[in-house]
Amino acid sequence: DDDDDDDDDDDEIAGGSLFRRAPGVSRGRVYRGAECPYMDTINRAVLDFDFEKQCSQTLSRINVYVCLVCGKYFQGRGRDSPAYYHCLQEKHHVFINTRSGKTYCLPDDYEVIDGSLRDIQYNLNPKYSTEEIEQLDFDAPRRCLTLSGQEYYPGAVGLNNLGSTDYLGTIVQCLARVSMLRNHLMDETKIEHIAKLTHAPTDANVAVKLSECFRKMWNSRNFKGLVSPHEFMQAVSVASNKKYNPKTQADPVVFLQWLLNTLHRGLGGTKRNGSSIVHKAFQGELEIHTRRAEVVGQIDRELERGRQEAGVAPEITATTKRVPFLMLGMDLPAPPPVRT
């Protein structure tokens, strides 16, 4: 008997619970916000889209939804899915898909389209036009307010320390001010290209998650004044075989060197100079001049000393070559003596 699957059936049974469908509501249809009786249950204060997009029960990253009432992540919206059972058990009805940004009401399973949801969809995946990206360094700092009324300035927000990740936060804050790299990663069209790279998927994922972190840092409609680099940290941990993880401190300079090389590969870079935005932004050239004295013929030290005493100059060979670098160590001059 397929009566339970009939779209016109008003009663739904799952997990021993009986839920009566709202009168006139059909499964799979699209309704405006005014037609959904559960829009006022949405709680923006508990929403945090910085965490890894995986189901809190199955740990799956496929087809994940966020409950807009409690902020928890659940997989699917079918009758046997964790999101469906959560709806029946907790009476939480409004969910948003983490990839498409579409909002659905369960257990009736209809899509809700309403202008009041735009701020939630934007915070889930902030997007910027080319003009907005180019003006980031030229517009005067804007004072914005969180849901709780706290002041913050886009681009100057703090990053949560996930345990021992202060070194990672330091480097992310520095790279967020490198306009060429930041503008490239914040461009949605270029991010779509990055996600399709297959020659280095783990490295490409680091670039994608750093892009998401940058876009959240510059979000002027943020619900809170902090950004958690949780997803970026997870991508870094996977790409580095857990060399960099939330529980272990690391040298920021060493991490920066690793990150630049990883971003270079993840953005499609090769051994050819200038093959990625990382090379274009950071790569320099060191010009090395070499002068070598060559003594003509096989002479011993005494004869060589005699030539020098006689004022005969040896033949000089000069060569010049340029060596590319991403990071160059420089010797600091000796500190001046302390004056008393």
Side-chain angles (χ1 to χ4, degrees), residues 57-254:
Q57 295 183 3
T58 64
L59 302 183
S60 173
R61 296 178 177 87
I62 301 174
N63 197 24
V64 177
Y65 290 79
V66 183
C67 175
L68 297 184
V69 181
C70 65
K72 295 181 180 179
Y73 291 72
F74 298 98
Q75 184 182 19
R77 67 176 197 272
R79 295 189 177 186
D80 293 326
S81 66
Y84 189 86
Y85 281 101
H86 175 75
C87 164
L88 297 180
Q89 293 169 1
E90 303 296 335
K91 300 297 188 293
H92 296 173
H93 301 281
V94 191
F95 295 79
I96 187 171
N97 187 282
T98 57
R99 287 191 175 273
S100 66
K102 293 183 178 180
T103 305
Y104 296 88
C105 184
L106 298 181
D108 297 326
D109 193 23
Y110 59 84
E111 183 182 354
V112 180
I113 298 179
D114 193 74
S116 64
L117 298 172
R118 292 175 183 170
D119 61 334
I120 298 177
Q121 295 168 340
Y122 186 85
N123 274 273
L124 177 65
N125 184 24
K127 297 180 180 179
Y128 303 84
S129 65
T130 303
E131 292 74 16
E132 290 175 328
I133 295 174
E134 292 176 349
Q135 290 298 318
L136 290 178
D137 290 327
F138 301 99
D139 291 340
R142 271 194 308 174
R143 183 176 66 90
C144 301
L145 298 177
T146 64
L147 288 177
S148 61
Q150 179 185 0
E151 294 184 2
Y152 76 96
Y153 291 88
V157 298
L159 296 176
N160 283 335
N161 190 345
L162 305 177
S164 298
T165 60
D166 46 340
Y167 67 93
L168 180 139
T170 301
I171 298 303
V172 171
Q173 292 282 14
C174 292
L175 294 182
R177 293 295 172 177
V178 180
S179 302
M180 187 180 296
L181 176 66
R182 180 202 62 209
N183 294 355
H184 182 89
L185 290 179
M186 290 181 65
D187 192 329
E188 184 183 6
T189 59
K190 295 182 174 62
I191 297 306
E192 293 176 354
H193 169 69
I194 295 171
K196 296 178 181 178
L197 295 177
T198 57
H199 68 283
T202 56
D203 296 340
N205 191 46
V206 172
V208 171
K209 297 307 178 183
L210 181 60
S211 165
E212 294 178 1
C213 193
F214 283 167
R215 285 184 283 135
K216 291 176 180 178
M217 291 174 63
W218 290 90
N219 182 9
S220 60
R221 312 177 204 172
N222 211 335
F223 291 157
K224 48 191 176 57
L226 292 173
V227 173
S228 176
H230 184 84
E231 288 192 280
F232 177 59
M233 181 72 255
Q234 292 295 328
V236 166
S237 180
V238 172
S240 65
N241 293 321
K242 297 185 178 180
K243 176 181 178 181
Y244 300 107
N245 60 80
K247 298 181 180 180
T248 307
Q249 280 284 359
D251 187 328
V253 177
V254 177

Side-chain angles (χ1 to χ4, degrees), residues 47-60:
L47 300 181
D48 192 340
F49 300 127
D50 293 344
F51 291 107
E52 193 171 5
K53 308 301 188 296
Q54 66 178 17
C55 177
S56 58
Q57 295 183 3
T58 64
L59 302 183
S60 173

Side-chain angles (χ1 to χ4, degrees), residues 1-6 9:
D1 189 357
D2 296 332
D3 289 342
D4 289 341
D5 297 331
D6 192 342
D9 189 7

